[in-house]
């Protein structure tokens, strides 16, 4: 452990921040700093993981809303400038000016924002107005023109307040439409050095490397200052000078001196990823206008890092913190509005910095504190302490503070010693995490709980025994009970296991060697557990045994598993013989009810053909079934289904459902009601059976087919050479719930229609979705219809072709029921019985 957390022993005087220094803290409401400088263990703790996750999400949402609000504020600033012009010229009130602005924009048939830019251009005597006159004359689409972009950039600059924000808004509003990819704002100092006051488009690490350019270093920005004019490079390679982003953006560069009143105070550097675009005179004047905006920002000195004194302060602070061996963050006040709580940005982290949440340093450096650590906004948390130190100048120290962060929605916590000090405009935060012992202890506790392991330690001279909570649970004792000494262990074991325990104790206590044994523990609650105990002696400086430590592990599950495995080995041959016999029985039962092939049926005006293809392997005998039946009501029952699983259970379940549906259909109920009843039969009268099914009733007089489905694939209708699936009514599979309702749909068939009902063995593939397999079946159906001649056996040929050319690869049972509609036969319905 290091000796001191304070980078200095000096205490700065209390400083009250200026109102313009306040910044947004979107993660929490404004807080009143508490003068608490001691241990913070009494601080409020979040309500739990759910509250933690909501807090992190709120921070992100509020940050996005704040960015949008700033963009809106820039547009409002431009409109307010135009309203001010009308107030001065017309002598009207602000409300009248706003109304007049809207009326004039409507009369000019342009957006209010564009009209406001034009109005300001006409009365302003700056470079932007001159550029506007060059560009807007005769332009039919001025909403994205340079004048509006420049006015928008100016409005953003007024709303931003610091060079970093100005660079970002300038790139977004004025330069990116011109193809630029990055921008840098340099401040020039009297000693010929330069500092990077603001940048956008570059990486954070690149911006840090170029934060300070010492005197004598020739860069494009230095050359523009020396020549006091704009310098353009078609590519950076032609410049032959080092500068920011030289490895990332090798395209063109334009460097424009920035000054006011004839005095150069900075440089605007604009970067392109490709060759520099053609530079017209109006475009150069546009860049000069942007440089003028940069000069205004640098002149006002609103940026937190502006000025030579601030630069020296930060450099000294960097050197100081880089020498500290604990993780250290240097924070600066982030720009914002006075009515919002203070917010700080991480300006620097020292080489010893390690994020306790396991993230790389780049995820923290350069980010706002509440972006990197949103949970620091909790009551009494890190953000509140930092704000208090910044406002009062009083250092804060604690030996135990709770640090929290969220990574991928998971809250991570750590305990640390924390020191917070203010140094001018910066706040230094140093934390020293614990040595990891508590975390390792928690991991060990979880491992012991999962492994049913309880640890103990017994002092041989004093008789003191320490057990952990798991050990009390293993012995069936309450946590307040007296632990059991090793010498009393035989009294709590099965009598047959006492010799083994005696050998264990003799090896451990008399021979002073590690030992282990397994025994049956007789608990006070009458439960017998199989336990393994492992222990070792602990020697003092004189090699005498003073303590024994070890662990008990519940191996009951392992013991009974070994017993079961032994029994399984003895029964394996017999089980294999039984399985083969059951498969043969299931196959015979299936073939008896569902023959693989059968002749067609003629029922009224329907011709019905069925194809059944059993699984190739006997042990995969499934529960596919079908039925066609002429009912007493005159309707025709058509159904197909699939019982989940294979073997004798699936075959017997198939028989039960098929026979039940036949009986239920005689009631005259519709398809949806039949499936509702069949679901109850499946749930209550069978043993853990689930199934899918399609049930349809065909009325020969109206040729209307009513149908319902229970989690099954929809039938395929082939009409006039085009194949499509019927719309799918809702309905879950059979047997999943004790009660389920099913929807019913209908389709009116016409002569020449062919309808195919099938099980998933026809289309199912391991390498594609069901939807893709259905599309392939539709294409195959249409192709099959084009190759047939429409003879009497066309329905059977159609089914055979589907079976033969199906690309299914699951080797499952397959069942097809095909019907074709013909003109009504004068002889009436066939009396051929259904299978």
């Amino acid at each position: 452990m290091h000796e001191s957390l304070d980078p200095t022993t000096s205490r700065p005087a209390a400083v009250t921040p200026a109102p313009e220094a306040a910044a947004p803290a979107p993660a929490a409401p404004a807080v009143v700093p508490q003068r608490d400088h001691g241990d913070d263990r009494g601080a409020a703790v979040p309500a739990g993981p759910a509250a933690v996750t909501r807090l992190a999400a709120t921070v992100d949402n509020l940050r996005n809303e704040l960015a949008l609000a700033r963009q809106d504020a820039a547009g409002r600033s431009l409109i307010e400038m135009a309203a001010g012009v009308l107030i001065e010229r017309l002598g009207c009130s602000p409300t009248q000016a706003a109304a007049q602005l809207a009326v004039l924009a409507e009369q000019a048939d342009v957006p209010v924002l564009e009209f406001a830019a034009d109005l300001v251009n006409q009365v302003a005597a700056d470079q932007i107005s001159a550029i506007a006159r060059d560009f807007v004359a005769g332009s039919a689409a001025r909403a994205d023109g340079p004048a509006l972009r420049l006015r928008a950039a100016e409005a953003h600059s007024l709303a931003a307040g610091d060079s970093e924000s100005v660079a970002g808004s300038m790139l977004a509003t004025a330069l990116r439409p011109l193809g630029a990819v990055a921008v840098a704002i340099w401040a020039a100092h009297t000693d010929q050095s330069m500092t990077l006051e603001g940048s956008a488009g570059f990486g954070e690490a690149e911006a840090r490397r170029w934060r300070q350019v010492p005197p004598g270093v020739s860069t494009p920005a230095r050359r523009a200052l020396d020549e006091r004019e704009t310098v353009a490079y078609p590519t950076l390679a032609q410049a032959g000078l080092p500068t920011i982003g030289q490895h990332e953006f090798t395209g063109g560069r334009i460097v424009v001196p920035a000054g006011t009143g004839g005095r150069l105070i900075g440089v605007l550097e604009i970067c392109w990823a490709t060759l520099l675009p053609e530079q017209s005179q109006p475009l150069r004047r546009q860049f000069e206008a942007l440089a003028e905006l940069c000069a205004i920002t640098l002149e006002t000195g609103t940026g937190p890092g502006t000025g030579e004194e601030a630069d020296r302060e930060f450099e000294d602070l960097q050197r100081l913190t880089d020498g500290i061996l604990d993780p250290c963050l240097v924070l600066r006040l982030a720009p914002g509005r006075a009515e919002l709580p203070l917010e700080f940005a991480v300006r620097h982290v020292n080489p010893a910095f390690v994020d306790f949440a396991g993230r790389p340093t780049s995820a923290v450096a350069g980010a706002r504190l509440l972006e990197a650590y949103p949970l620091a906004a909790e009551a009494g948390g890190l953000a509140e302490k930092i704000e208090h130190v910044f406002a009062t100048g009083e250092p804060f120290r604690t030996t135990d503070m709770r640090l929290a962060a969220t990574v991928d929605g998971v809250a991570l916590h750590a305990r640390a010693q924390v020191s917070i000090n203010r140094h001018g405009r910066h706040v230094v935060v140093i934390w020293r995490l614990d040595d990891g012992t508590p975390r390792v202890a928690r991991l060990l506790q979880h491992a012991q709980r999962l492994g049913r392991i309880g640890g103990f330690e017994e002092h041989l001279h004093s008789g003191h025994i320490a057990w952990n909570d798991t050990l009390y649970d293993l012995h069936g004792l309450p946590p307040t009970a007296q632990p059991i000494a090793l010498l009393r262990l035989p009294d709590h074991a099965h009598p047959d296991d006492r010799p083994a325990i005696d050998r264990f104790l003799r090896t451990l206590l008399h021979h002073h060697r590690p030992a282990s044994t397994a025994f049956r523990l007789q608990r006070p609650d009458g439960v017998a557990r199989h336990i393994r105990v492992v222990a070792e002696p602990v020697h003092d400086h004189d090699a005498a045994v003073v303590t024994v430590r070890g662990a008990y592990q519940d191996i009951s599950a392992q013991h009974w598993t070994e017993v079961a495995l032994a029994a399984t080995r003895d029964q394996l041959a017999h089980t294999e013989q039984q399985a083969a016999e059951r498969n043969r029985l299931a196959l015979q039962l299936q073939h008896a009810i569902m023959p693989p092939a059968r002749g067609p049926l003629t029922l009224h005006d329907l011709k019905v053909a069925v194809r059944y293809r059993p699984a190739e392997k006997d042990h995969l005998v499934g529960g596919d079934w079908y039925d066609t039946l002429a009912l007493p009501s005159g309707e025709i029952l058509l159904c197909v289904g699939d019982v989940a699983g294979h073997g004798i259970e699936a075959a017997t379940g198939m028989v039960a459902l098929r026979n039940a549906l036949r009986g239920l259909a005689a009631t005259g109920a519709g398809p949806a009601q039949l499936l509702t009843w069949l679901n109850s039969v499946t749930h209550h009268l069978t043993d853990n059976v689930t199934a899918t099914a399609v049930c349809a009733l065909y009325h020969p007089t109206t040729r209307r087919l009513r149908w319902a489905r229970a989690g099954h694939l929809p039938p395929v209708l082939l009409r006039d050479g085009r194949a499509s699936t019927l719309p799918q009514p809702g309905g879950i599979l059979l047997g999943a719930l004790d009660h389920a309702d099913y929807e019913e749909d209908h389709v009116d068939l016409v002569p020449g229609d062919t309808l195919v009902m099938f099980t998933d063995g026809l289309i199912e593939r391991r390498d594609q979705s069901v939807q893709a397999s259905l599309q392939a079946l539709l294409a195959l159906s249409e192709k099959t219809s084009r190759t047939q001649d429409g003879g009497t056996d066309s329905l059977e040929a159609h089914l055979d072709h589907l079976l033969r050319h199906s690309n299914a690869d699951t080797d499952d049972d397959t069942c097809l029921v095909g019907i074709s509609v013909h003109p009504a036969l004068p002889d009436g319905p066939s009396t051929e019985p259904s299978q």
Side-chain angles (χ1 to χ4, degrees), residues 604 629-637 661-662 665-669 674 696-697:
H604 294 281
L629 181 67
L631 300 176
S633 63
E635 293 183 304
I636 299 172
L637 173 69
L661 184 57
R662 277 199 165 195
T667 63
L674 291 178
L697 292 175

Side-chain angles (χ1 to χ4, degrees), residues 361-552:
T361 302
S362 58
V364 178
R368 297 199 176 204
L369 178 67
L370 292 182
E371 292 176 359
Y373 301 101
L375 302 185
E378 63 187 354
L382 185 63
E384 183 177 311
K385 302 303 182 185
I386 293 172
E387 182 179 0
H388 178 80
V389 171
F390 185 86
T392 65
E394 300 176 1
F396 171 82
R397 294 185 65 185
T398 180
T399 58
D400 185 18
M401 173 176 275
R402 178 178 178 272
L403 303 178
T406 56
V407 178
D408 296 331
V410 178
L412 303 176
H413 304 89
R415 309 298 301 190
Q417 302 177 50
V418 176
S419 172
I420 307 174
N421 295 271
R422 177 171 177 173
H423 294 266
R425 302 185 182 186
H426 297 84
V427 176
V428 177
V429 180
I430 306 173
W431 64 49
R432 179 184 297 168
L433 301 176
D434 60 34
D435 59 1
T437 301
R439 181 177 298 179
V440 173
R442 288 194 297 271
L443 294 176
L444 181 59
Q445 290 174 1
H446 291 307
Q448 291 174 341
R449 176 179 56 84
L450 295 174
R452 302 281 293 168
I453 300 173
F456 71 90
E457 186 173 88
E458 182 173 341
H459 196 280
L460 299 181
H461 298 308
S462 66
H464 176 73
I465 305 174
W467 278 12
N468 66 0
D469 295 339
T470 306
L471 201 49
Y472 285 99
D473 182 60
L474 289 181
H475 283 77
L477 298 173
T480 57
Q482 182 68 28
I484 299 173
L486 287 173
L487 292 177
R488 292 179 50 208
L489 194 57
D491 299 334
H492 298 270
H494 191 280
D496 295 343
D497 295 332
R498 290 190 176 185
I501 294 178
D502 290 338
R503 289 192 298 270
F504 164 76
L505 294 176
R506 186 167 56 253
T507 302
L508 179 66
L509 301 178
H510 295 285
H511 298 294
H512 298 168
R513 296 197 303 266
S516 65
T517 190
F519 66 96
R520 285 164 288 182
L521 177 67
Q522 302 290 344
R523 304 196 332 175
D525 55 8
V527 177
R529 308 296 297 178
H530 290 262
I531 301 294
R532 177 177 297 279
V533 58
V534 181
E536 65 177 1
V538 180
H539 302 268
D540 61 8
H541 298 293
D542 299 328
V545 177
V546 294
T547 305
V548 173
R549 65 167 62 106
Y552 292 86

